[in-house]
């Protein structure tokens, strides 16, 4: 396990704590890599308690003083990242420790959005909602968790909120109709960057995006965007600058056709691999993701991101990356952090051990809702497969609990609630089908009477 080269602690007591933290980190890594069994809550909590004990000892040694960062701080940060992802894996997504890794990712994203000055209202809205949830989590966290950890996480949330507010203020300065145009430009820019990093470059795809930019450009009057009343819209110059950046980038992409300079090809290949892996996980995460897997991707991205000097990468000869290579690498890093953020907020409040059952129920619920939305079933018999599957899952419970061996995994409430919803949907469909069958039977019963009356006449 690589840790960035930083000085060892000078204090002998800190070196002792570092040794114990390293042992905890190594145990967490071994637990993360073990695919032979599910991660159990009790295994995670033992290591969490050991970590918190070392944090208490460190606070006693430092007395709250801010010392220059040493290797201990780096290892401690790795421990917190791992513990945070383990809390997600065991289904404790709404507890304070789970917030650590999420706030790290949000902070990275916000730093990149601030640096590039390229962000959309949707980006900020999602992160704002997540940070508000985390604020709520922190309010009751001290009853369960160490005050130091709660204070640390609260400060991280506040730091992210401050950065988010600064970005939001920039968007708030845009007058109508510029917010929608700004959003469209950001979307086009990202689509071009995606096209630029595809395995097979498509000139026509980028040209279509460039045509959209030209269409927006043609909507300006004397180089200005106008408000509905005909005056120059507030923020016109900023959106015009963004439009110019997009037009310039479209031409660069068309000229370079996805060909990265050889001196930055190795970094590009690593980032493409990470981006593609995370993209696949985002499509299959319900069935294939163990949240602790994100740790390795985070570490790789962090190392590449932090290897920049004055915002740019240097090759083996110390030469900085040209604009095209720099922007392409930055896009891949930001896209990858975006995927990690999405995967974290999509983490279900259910232990890894119960996820197979939970995912089956999610699929059953979607199917039942689709059946209901398409008008229901024509006979109760069509519901038999759903009923049999639901009953088989219900019969897995022991004294009302879903057991894995002798363990009672986290997330019992979420799974039971989902099971109840499926039973309710199935019941509604059955009642509706029975009602329709009764109506049909009544029609058939009255039909002979009507025909007899006709014959009598």
């Amino acid at each position: 396990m690589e840790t960035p080269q930083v000085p060892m602690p000078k204090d002998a007591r800190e070196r002792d704590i570092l040794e114990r933290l390293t042992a905890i980190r190594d145990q967490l890594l071994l637990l993360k890599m073990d695919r032979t069994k599910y991660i159990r809550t009790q295994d995670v909590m033992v290591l969490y308690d050991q970590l918190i004990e070392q944090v208490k000892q460190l606070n006693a040694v430092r007395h709250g003083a801010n010392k220059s960062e040493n290797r201990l701080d780096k290892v401690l940060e790795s421990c917190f990242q791992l513990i945070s992802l383990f809390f997600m894996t065991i289904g404790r997504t709404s507890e304070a420790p789970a917030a650590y890794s999420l706030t790290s990712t949000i902070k990275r994203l916000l730093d990149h959005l601030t640096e590039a000055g390229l962000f959309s209202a949707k980006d900020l809205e999602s992160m704002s909602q997540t940070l508000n949830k985390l604020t709520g989590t922190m309010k009751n966290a001290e009853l369960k968790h160490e005050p130091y950890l709660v204070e640390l996480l609260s400060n991280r949330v506040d730091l992210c909120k401050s950065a988010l507010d600064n970005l939001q203020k920039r968007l708030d300065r845009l007058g109508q109709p510029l917010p929608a145009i700004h959003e469209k430009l950001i979307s086009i820019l990202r689509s071009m960057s995606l096209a630029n990093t595809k395995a097979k470059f498509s000139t026509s795809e980028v040209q279509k995006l460039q045509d959209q930019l030209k269409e927006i450009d043609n909507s300006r009057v004397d180089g200005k965007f106008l408000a509905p009343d005909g005056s120059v819209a507030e923020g016109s110059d900023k959106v015009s600058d963004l439009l110019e950046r997009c037009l310039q980038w479209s031409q660069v992409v068309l000229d370079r056709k996805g060909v990265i300079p050889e001196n930055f090809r190795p970094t590009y290949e690593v980032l493409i691999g990470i981006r593609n892996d995370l993209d696949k996980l985002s499509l299959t995460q319900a069935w294939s993701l163990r949240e602790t897997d994100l740790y390795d991707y985070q570490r790789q991205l962090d190392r590449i991101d932090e290897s920049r000097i004055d915002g740019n990468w240097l090759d083996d000869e110390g030469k900085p990356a040209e604009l095209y290579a720099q922007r392409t690498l930055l896009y891949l890093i930001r896209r990858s952090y975006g995927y990690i953020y999405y995967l974290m907020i999509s983490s279900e409040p259910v232990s890894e051990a119960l996820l197979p059952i939970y995912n089956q129920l999610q699929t059953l619920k979607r199917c039942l809702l689709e059946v209901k939305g398409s008008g229901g079933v024509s006979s109760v018999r069509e519901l038999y497969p759903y009923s049999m599957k639901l009953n088989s899952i219900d019969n897995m419970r022991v004294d009302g609990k879903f057991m894995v061996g002798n363990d009672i995994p986290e997330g019992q409430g979420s799974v039971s609630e989902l099971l109840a919803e499926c039973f309710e949907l199935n019941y509604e469909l059955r009642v509706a089908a029975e009602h329709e069958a009764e109506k049909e039977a009544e029609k058939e019963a009255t039909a002979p009477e009507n025909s007899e009356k006709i014959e009598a006449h």
Side-chain angles (χ1 to χ4, degrees), residues 107-119 124 162-164 166-167 170 334:
K107 183 65 169 62
R108 287 275 180 181
L109 279 171
L110 289 169
D111 286 346
H112 274 284
L113 294 180
T114 302
E115 177 188 357
L118 302 170
F119 52 91
L124 305 189
S162 177
L164 187 72
N166 289 333
L167 293 178
R170 294 194 204 176
R334 289 163 185 162

Side-chain angles (χ1 to χ4, degrees), residues 112-158:
H112 274 284
L113 294 180
T114 302
E115 177 188 357
L118 302 170
F119 52 91
S120 70
K122 290 178 183 177
D123 296 334
L124 305 189
E125 183 181 351
S126 174
M127 285 188 273
S128 178
Q129 291 174 355
T130 302
L131 289 170
N132 287 336
K133 285 182 184 177
L134 293 179
T135 300
T137 298
M138 296 307 136
K139 285 182 179 177
N140 301 317
E142 284 194 21
L143 298 174
K144 281 188 176 182
H145 300 285
E146 176 68 19
Y148 164 82
L149 178 63
V150 177
E151 183 182 357
L152 172 68
L153 291 170
S154 296
N155 290 339
R156 288 164 72 91
V157 170
D158 289 342

Side-chain angles (χ1 to χ4, degrees), residues 296-314:
D296 294 329
Y297 293 117
Q298 278 182 311
R299 293 287 288 176
Q300 281 183 285
L301 290 169
D302 291 351
R303 278 197 289 272
I304 293 173
D305 195 17
E306 290 166 9
S307 68
R308 292 190 290 158
I309 296 174
D310 294 329
N312 203 354
W313 287 273
L314 304 180

